[in-house]
Amino acid sequence: MPTIKDVAAKAGVSISTVSYAISGERPISVEKKALIEQAMKELDYRPHAIARSLASKRTRIIALLFPPVERGIGLSELSLITNAAMAATEQGYHLVLWSLVSKDPDELRHLIRQELVDGVILMEVHDNDFRIPILREQRIPFFLFGQDSSAPDENFVDTDFIVSMYRALAFLSGLGHREICFINQSHDAFQSGYGPVVRSHAAFERFSVELKISGRECFCNSDPATGFRTAAEVLEQRPATTAFLVMNDRCLSGVIKAIEKKGRTIPGDLSLIAHVSSAATATMFLPSLTTYEMEGHALMSLAVGELIARIEKKYFEVPQRLMPCTLVERETTGAARND
Amino acid sequence: MPTIKDVAAKAGVSISTVSYAISGERPISVEKKALIEQAMKELDYRPHAIARSLASKRTRIIALLFPPVERGIGLSELSLITNAAMAATEQGYHLVLWSLVSKDPDELRHLIRQELVDGVILMEVHDNDFRIPILREQRIPFFLFGQDSSAPDENFVDTDFIVSMYRALAFLSGLGHREICFINQSHDAFQSGYGPVVRSHAAFERFSVELKISGRECFCNSDPATGFRTAAEVLEQRPATTAFLVMNDRCLSGVIKAIEKKGRTIPGDLSLIAHVSSAATATMFLPSLTTYEMEGHALMSLAVGELIARIEKKYFEVPQRLMPCTLVERETTGAARND
DNA sequence: CTGTTAGCGCCTTCAG
DNA sequence: CTGAAGGCGCTAACAG
C-alpha cells in the first residue's frame, strides 16, 4: 500500500505539503496541488485511517449504542440502523454497533476508554438512563435518540409524541370518529417511565378532552394474543368504538383478528391506525395499514449530523429536536359509521 | 487518559513488559504480573485501540457489508446484524456497518483501502456477486453469508435449503399432507440466480417426487396483495391442497387472508409453514406460525468466528458450512384433513 | 524472564 | 506558501 511518503516522493514535495493538500488546512500553490493529485491518482492512494486517527486524535468513527435486553427490537429500529450507517458514511464517518450485554457501568466505560469512537448515539433511551452518567463522566460527545426527562439538558432528537397524538386524534375526529380506543404499549413500560408510552398516555388524555372524544386507553403487551384479548374486550364493553389507534406493532395482528372475529369490517365498520410505526410494518398487512410513521431518516440524519458537528466543534448549541409522525393513508381508515 | 507508559512507571517495569503482560505473547514472572495488574487497576488503564492497531497492523474491526438497494431487508436480517455485533464483541472485535450505495467498484475499494477493517462479512450474497472480485483483489479476508456458485472456493456459511426443504416436506408428509403448495419468492429473484430461491425450487421438485407429494410451486412477489392472489388461485385450481409452505415472509398475511376468505381454517383445514423464517416473524401473527427457522445465531457466530480465525491465521481450511433450518411447531400445522 | 528501541502512517507545530 | 521533525500510544524485533 502506498503511503503519504510515496505520494510526496512522486510529487516531488514534502510530506507535510501532501498532508495539507489533503486536509485543506493551509493554502497550497496550484502547481503543487496538481502534482500531488496526479501522484495520488497514479498510486491510487488512500490515507490510512488508523494512522490518521492516531495522529489527529479523531477516529471518524461513531457508535450506535443499544442497551441490554432489547425488548422487541423491530422493523422500525432496523431502518434506523441502516439510516445511521448511511448518514455516517455520507459525512466520511464509520458506524460501529455496540450492543451492551449488561448494565455494568464498566462494560460501557471500557468500550469508551479504548478511544475507538469519537462519539455515540444512544438508542432506546429511558428515563434515568444508566448510560448517560457514564458518557458524561467519560466526557465523550453523545446524542440521544429519545428523551430522558432526568437529563433535560442533553442533545436529543425524538418523535414528537404529543403532536403526533394530536394529529392522529384530529384526523380520526375529522372522519367523524367519536369513540376511539388507544392501544398503548405495556403497563410495565409505562411504569418504568419509558418516554413514548408516558408521553402518549398524557397526550391521549389531554386531547381526548380537547377534541371531545370519548377515549379509552389500554396498555397492551407486545404480542398478538394480548392484542386480541384487549381489543375483544374493548369491542365487548364499548361496542360504539369506531377506531383503534395502536402504538404497538407487535400486537397489531391480534387486534385485527379480534375485530374480524367480531364480524366488523375494516375500514367499513372500524378504522385502524398503526401509530408511530413504519412503512415496512404497514405493508406486511392486508389491507395495508394507515400509519403515522416515524420520521426515521430525518431524525437519524439529524442525530448523526449534529453529533459530528459537535465532535468537530463546529458549534455549541444544544439541539433538541422533536419531529411529529407523518400520516400515510393506506387502506384501514375511513369515515366513521354512526348508526 | 493513562498510557502504557504510566502503567510501566507505576509498576516499576518497562513498557514492553507491560505490553507482553497484556498480550500474553511471552511469559512474565508472577510478581511483575501482579504489580502490573495492580497498576492497571489503579489507573483504570485501557489500551488505546488505535495506537495498538497502528503498531500491530490489525485493527480488530470487521465490517458487515450490505449491497446497494436493500430489497426487502427484514426481521431476520435484523437479528443477523445484532448477532454479528455480539459475536464480534465476544471475541474482542468491533463491528462496523457498511451499506454500499452503488455498484461502483471504487466505493468498496476505497472503503477497504482505508485499512480500517481486518476482514469483512458479505450479506445478501448473489451469484456473480460484484463484491467478490474486489475483495480478492484487495487481498482482505472475507466470508460469505450465503453462496455464490461462481465462487465455489470461498468461505461461506449458509442455510441448507435442500435439507430444509426435505425436512419440511417430510414433516408435512408425516402429517398426512399429499397436496402441498410451495410459495417461493419472486420469479425475478429466481431468474437472477438468487441462491435461496434457486436451490429451494430444485429441492421442492426433487423431494416432491421422492416423497410422492403432489406439489405445486408458485413464485410470488414480496407483498401481501400478491400473496393473496397467488393463494386464492391455488385454492381455486387445486382445492385438494392441504398445506402451504411459504418462503416469503412479506406475503404471508395475504396468504392467510386468502385461506380465511375461502372459509378454510388453520390448522383445521389447512396447514401453513413459514419457511426459512424467524421467531420474530412467526410471533407477529395470530395464530403464531409454525416455522422452519434460520439458525441465525449459530450461522453468524460461525461466520464471525471463522473470519477472525482466518484474520489471525489460526488455520487455513476453507470452511463451508451449511445448516438446515429448525422446525418450531406453533399453531398453524396439524394433521391433514382427507375427506 | 526483562529491557531498549525502532518504527506503524500521519498530523501539526515550528522554522523558514 | 513550504519543509523538517517530533510525536500520537503501542508492538515486536533485537539484545541481553
Side-chain angles (χ1 to χ4, degrees), chain A residues 4 16 19-20 45 48 52 55:
Chain A
I4 197 172
S16 61
S19 174
Y20 285 118
Y45 168 77
H48 189 285
R52 193 217 275 256

Side-chain angles (χ1 to χ4, degrees), chain A residues 58-230:
Chain A
R58 282 184 35 221
T59 64
R60 292 173 186 74
I61 305 174
I62 59 178
L64 199 61
L65 178 64
F66 286 87
V69 296
E70 6 173 323
R71 129 215 58 86
I73 160 167
L75 253 12
S76 318
E77 286 77 4
L78 176 55
S79 90
L80 292 180
I81 294 175
T82 58
N83 275 325
M86 305 189 73
T89 301
E90 273 167 26
Q91 315 220 22
Y93 275 66
H94 292 273
L95 184 83
V96 314
L97 235 49
W98 281 354
S99 217
L100 296 178
V101 323
S102 73
K103 284 203 168 190
D104 179 357
D106 278 340
E107 190 188 353
L108 178 53
R109 194 174 286 134
H110 291 346
L111 245 16
I112 296 170
R113 300 202 92 187
Q114 296 185 189
E115 297 184 67
L116 198 255
V117 309
D118 289 337
V120 359
I121 292 179
L122 278 73
M123 302 296 288
E124 317 253 321
V125 176
H126 275 60
D127 272 356
N128 299 303
D129 200 298
F130 77 100
R131 298 167 292 179
I132 294 179
I134 302 170
L135 275 317
R136 279 185 185 143
E137 150 208 321
Q138 297 293 324
R139 306 181 173 294
I140 185 173
F142 65 97
F143 211 99
L144 311 184
F145 196 101
Q147 299 170 66
D148 180 341
S149 62
S150 72
D153 296 333
E154 297 299 345
N155 310 279
F156 72 73
V157 293
D158 200 7
T159 293
D160 190 330
F161 292 93
I162 315 289
V163 172
S164 297
M165 179 58 77
Y166 178 79
R167 288 191 184 167
L169 291 181
F171 170 68
L172 286 171
S173 174
L175 287 171
H177 296 277
R178 285 288 160 274
E179 190 93 18
I180 297 172
C181 173
F182 170 45
I183 298 189
N184 203 333
Q185 294 178 214
S186 74
H187 194 68
D188 284 356
F190 176 70
Q191 288 202 308
S192 79
Y194 187 46
V197 178
V198 173
R199 276 184 277 280
S200 296
H201 163 83
F204 182 70
E205 290 216 322
R206 173 175 156 203
F207 296 125
S208 293
V209 175
E210 288 188 15
L211 293 166
K212 301 193 173 60
I213 283 166
S214 166
R216 155 95 184 256
E217 178 183 24
C218 301
F219 293 104
C220 180
N221 290 344
S222 297
D223 63 87
T226 311
F228 182 88
R229 256 182 284 118
T230 304

Side-chain angles (χ1 to χ4, degrees), chain B residues 47-283:
Chain B
H48 190 283
I50 298 292
R52 193 216 275 254
S53 299
L54 183 61
S56 66
K57 317 209 128 282
R58 283 183 34 221
T59 64
R60 293 171 186 75
I61 304 175
I62 59 179
L64 197 62
L65 179 62
F66 287 87
V69 295
E70 6 170 328
R71 133 212 57 90
I73 161 166
L75 251 12
S76 317
E77 286 77 5
L78 176 56
S79 90
L80 292 179
I81 296 176
T82 58
N83 276 325
M86 305 191 75
T89 301
E90 273 166 25
Q91 315 219 26
Y93 275 66
H94 291 272
L95 183 83
V96 314
L97 245 45
W98 282 353
S99 218
L100 296 179
V101 324
S102 73
K103 284 204 168 190
D104 179 356
D106 278 339
E107 190 187 354
L108 178 53
R109 192 173 286 136
H110 291 345
L111 245 16
I112 296 169
R113 298 200 109 211
Q114 297 184 188
E115 295 184 72
L116 199 252
V117 309
D118 288 337
V120 359
I121 292 179
L122 278 72
M123 302 295 290
E124 318 253 322
V125 175
H126 274 61
D127 271 357
N128 300 303
D129 201 297
F130 77 100
R131 299 167 293 179
I132 295 180
I134 303 170
L135 275 318
R136 279 186 186 141
E137 147 207 323
Q138 297 293 322
R139 307 180 172 294
I140 184 172
F142 65 97
F143 211 98
L144 311 185
F145 196 101
Q147 299 170 65
D148 180 341
S149 61
S150 72
D153 296 333
E154 297 300 345
N155 310 279
F156 72 74
V157 294
D158 200 6
T159 292
D160 189 330
F161 292 94
I162 316 289
V163 172
S164 298
M165 178 59 76
Y166 177 80
R167 289 192 183 167
L169 290 181
F171 170 69
L172 286 171
S173 173
L175 286 171
H177 296 276
R178 285 288 161 273
E179 188 93 20
I180 297 172
C181 172
F182 170 45
I183 298 189
N184 203 332
Q185 295 178 212
S186 73
H187 194 68
D188 284 355
F190 176 69
Q191 289 204 308
S192 78
Y194 187 46
V197 178
V198 172
R199 276 184 278 280
S200 296
H201 164 82
F204 182 70
E205 290 214 323
R206 173 175 156 204
F207 297 125
S208 292
V209 175
E210 289 189 15
L211 292 166
K212 301 193 175 58
I213 283 167
S214 165
R216 153 95 186 255
E217 179 185 22
C218 302
F219 292 105
C220 180
N221 291 342
S222 297
D223 63 88
T226 311
F228 182 88
R229 254 182 284 119
T230 305
E233 196 179 303
V234 170
L235 257 14
E236 199 61 47
Q237 297 177 355
R238 312 183 52 137
T241 301
T242 60
F244 281 95
L245 183 64
V246 184
M247 193 177 76
N248 188 336
D249 286 359
R250 296 198 59 81
C251 79
L252 276 167
S253 75
V255 172
I256 294 171
K257 202 100 189 179
I259 295 170
E260 289 172 344
K261 182 153 190 190
K262 195 77 185 168
R264 319 286 284 274
T265 62
I266 302 176
D269 301 321
L270 274 159
S271 284
L272 176 72
I273 291 178
H275 198 231
V276 195
S277 184
S278 60
T281 302
T283 58

Side-chain angles (χ1 to χ4, degrees), chain A residues 248-259:
Chain A
N248 188 337
D249 286 358
R250 296 198 58 82
C251 79
L252 276 168
S253 75
V255 172
I256 294 171
K257 201 101 188 176
I259 295 170

